[in-house]
Amino acid sequence: MMNLYYRLIRHNGNQDLFRVVEMSVAALLHERPFHIQAEGLRGTGKTTIMRAARELLPPITRIKGCLYNCHPAMPHCPFHRRLSQEEIALLGTEEIPRPFLEISQAAKLGTVVGSIDLANLTNPANPLAALLPGTIPQAHRGIIFIDEINRLADTAPELADVLLDVMGTRPGRVQIEEPGLPVVELPVTVSIWAASNPDEDPGPLSRIRKQLADRFDVTVVMGRPDNCQAVVDILAGKSREQPVAGNIGQLSGSLDAVEVSPEVRLILGKIYLDFGLESLRSVAAMETASCLAALLAGRSTAGIAELTQVAPLALAHRVNAGTIDAIMGYLNSLTGGQESGQAPVAEGAEQGAFREISPWVAWWLACKRRLTAWLQSLPHLPAAGISGDAQGGEGNARIVDPLKTTIIAPPKPALPISQLPDEQLVTREPKQHG
């Protein structure tokens, strides 16, 4: 039945996953890989949604019989990339379902990348040493799904290294090597979809292989159903007929035609610098996701509204929750009646004036004001000597303002524990005599 995806129940806990799945499909239709990961508790439907989404994929046209799924206008495999258009026309073309392949926990490097074609090698009539493309080359122009990718990254580091190359550039790259045969290097346009259970061993992917986690454009934290009716509908298999964002295969407009406003790019630059983001992929992912959100909504320009919607998804696996909250606070302030990229000046400046400042500075000034107001609201303590501002021991002592206190560093810098002498690592209680 071809409507499983549309019959799946949507609720507040899984709506983000439906959304990013549709964004990734829309990107792939424009030859743009968009890698997504779903993290969450087991049994919440991550894998079901992702596998059902293959129904959204329209077919592809390839050179007839090409295991590498060569596009007739852009052949890339060893057999077809040097052929002329006339020669390709003689070979013919065919329409096939767009690839949706999986890499399992038991997968071997040869089956994922490629290996010697034993059928050709053992052909008694015409034995031939040739390569058989693995899962990744055969998924060109399609999707690869990896369930429990956190476990795969832990138990099969060689496969994680291959994924780094596949996801590191656009298009990605895969290299097939077998003794006695020439090395074959291929470009691959493939979107990686993955699911993981970060609450189980070995833990979140971002902690196991940070480089691999950073390759995902967005990460969705999958939630549980938030109301009883959603659970009832899931158990009954009933759909509330909540439509997806249009027919993904028949999107009007082109991703290349979606413009990113200069204002958004300036904001992304400020976020990258002012919040100390490690990877440029984080802001690149936010820009791409903003364009995809605009495309699915039928808009021609990606603005601050789209950026605000997708930013948490692009940052979830890259920075901590506090940084995400601070960035979202900054973005929300830009749509709260202030001019974009501006914040109120510090205390003491001309009333009503605005100037551009770092969001970190704005955040610190706000914290300072709240802390100062809290300190001033505290009652005077009866004990004297708490502050140098105490007046003559009459019980008018006040708490010292930490923002006005001089902090003196220790006379010697701290040493890492690995550099401490052995005798300082273990202390013994003096023996008691008598």
Side-chain angles (χ1 to χ4, degrees):
M1 188 176 293
M2 293 297 293
N3 62 351
L4 173 61
Y5 181 82
Y6 298 97
R7 291 189 295 111
L8 293 175
I9 305 301
R10 298 190 177 204
H11 52 79
N12 288 341
N14 66 15
Q15 283 182 347
D16 282 342
L17 180 54
F18 279 102
R19 187 180 182 198
V20 300
V21 158
E22 291 157 20
M23 290 167 63
S24 184
V25 171
L28 194 59
L29 299 187
H30 294 86
E31 306 297 331
R32 303 277 190 88
F34 191 75
H35 310 302
I36 63 175
Q37 181 190 187
E39 292 185 337
L41 298 173
R42 60 193 177 281
T44 49
K46 305 182 295 296
T47 300
T48 299
I49 293 172
M50 288 181 155
R51 284 178 173 158
R54 68 189 306 166
E55 297 174 1
L56 303 178
L57 302 176
I60 61 171
T61 300
R62 72 177 185 183
I63 296 176
K64 192 170 184 177
C66 181
L67 294 179
Y68 297 86
N69 296 328
C70 270
H71 194 296
M74 297 175 290
H76 72 291
C77 82
F79 303 106
H80 302 123
R81 59 188 171 198
R82 293 182 178 87
L83 298 183
S84 66
Q85 286 300 308
E86 291 77 14
E87 292 171 315
I88 292 174
L90 290 175
L91 292 175
T93 61
E94 62 183 349
E95 189 175 88
I96 65 166
R98 189 172 294 263
F100 187 99
L101 306 179
E102 297 194 27
I103 295 178
S104 71
Q105 301 294 314
K108 304 299 181 185
L109 188 61
T111 60
V112 171
V113 176
S115 60
I116 292 177
D117 188 343
L118 294 178
N120 273 322
L121 190 63
T122 58
N123 185 347
N126 183 26
L128 179 66
L131 287 174
L132 181 67
T135 303
I136 293 174
Q138 292 189 54
H140 179 62
R141 301 168 66 194
I143 289 167
I144 290 176
F145 173 62
I146 308 171
D147 199 9
E148 298 187 355
I149 191 172
N150 51 331
R151 289 181 54 206
L152 182 74
D154 183 54
T155 59
E158 69 280 1
L159 295 183
D161 291 338
V162 171
L163 291 173
L164 288 177
D165 280 343
V166 172
M167 303 169 69
T169 57
R170 298 164 199 269
R173 185 185 74 95
V174 66
Q175 188 166 293
I176 308 175
E177 302 178 22
E178 281 290 349
L181 293 175
V183 174
V184 175
E185 183 175 317
L186 294 166
V188 285
T189 299
V190 61
S191 291
I192 305 296
W193 292 5
S196 63
N197 301 328
D199 60 313
E200 300 177 356
D201 289 336
L205 179 63
S206 57
R207 202 162 61 214
I208 302 163
R209 290 297 295 269
K210 191 173 184 180
Q211 310 99 310
L212 183 57
D214 184 49
R215 297 301 204 266
F216 285 96
D217 293 291
V218 296
T219 292
V220 172
V221 179
M222 187 79 164
R224 303 163 63 219
D226 57 350
N227 62 78
C228 184
Q229 187 58 47
V231 178
V232 171
D233 291 343
I234 291 171
L235 294 175
K238 295 179 180 178
S239 172
R240 298 188 204 170
E241 298 184 357
Q242 300 177 12
V244 297
N247 189 331
I248 304 299
Q250 299 177 356
L251 285 173
S252 60
S254 166
L255 182 58
D256 292 328
V258 176
E259 296 183 357
V260 180
S261 69
E263 181 182 39
V264 166
R265 286 207 170 102
L266 178 61
I267 292 169
L268 289 172
K270 288 177 177 292
I271 289 175
Y272 176 73
L273 294 174
D274 293 341
F275 291 91
L277 302 184
E278 290 184 8
S279 173
L280 280 169
R281 288 191 182 92
S282 56
V283 288
M286 282 189 273
E287 179 180 287
T288 303
S290 298
C291 292
L292 289 168
L295 178 67
L296 290 175
R299 291 190 284 271
S300 60
T301 303
I304 299 177
E306 286 75 25
L307 177 59
T308 303
Q309 293 169 11
V310 302
L313 305 176
L315 296 170
H317 54 301
R318 292 184 167 103
V319 298
N320 59 42
T323 303
I324 294 176
D325 287 343
I327 291 174
M328 295 309 298
Y330 168 57
L331 290 174
N332 289 329
S333 74
L334 301 181
T335 57
Q338 299 177 4
E339 296 182 21
S340 179
Q342 295 181 329
V345 297
E347 295 169 335
E350 182 179 353
Q351 183 70 23
F354 288 85
R355 64 177 175 86
E356 291 192 5
I357 63 172
S358 162
W360 277 114
V361 175
W363 173 80
W364 167 245
L365 291 174
C367 291
K368 178 181 177 182
R369 285 193 292 271
R370 286 194 289 267
L371 181 58
T372 302
W374 176 73
L375 290 169
Q376 292 174 348
S377 69
L378 292 175
H380 292 172
L381 299 180
I386 294 180
S387 167
D389 295 333
Q391 302 294 325
E394 293 294 329
N396 294 324
R398 291 177 297 169
I399 294 178
V400 173
D401 185 349
L403 299 176
K404 298 178 181 178
T405 301
T406 301
I407 300 176
I408 302 175
K412 295 181 180 180
L415 290 175
I417 192 169
S418 60
Q419 297 180 14
L420 288 175
D422 291 344
E423 59 270 14
Q424 294 188 28
L425 294 176
V426 179
T427 60
R428 293 181 176 86
E429 294 291 335
K431 292 184 177 180
Q432 299 288 337
H433 296 286

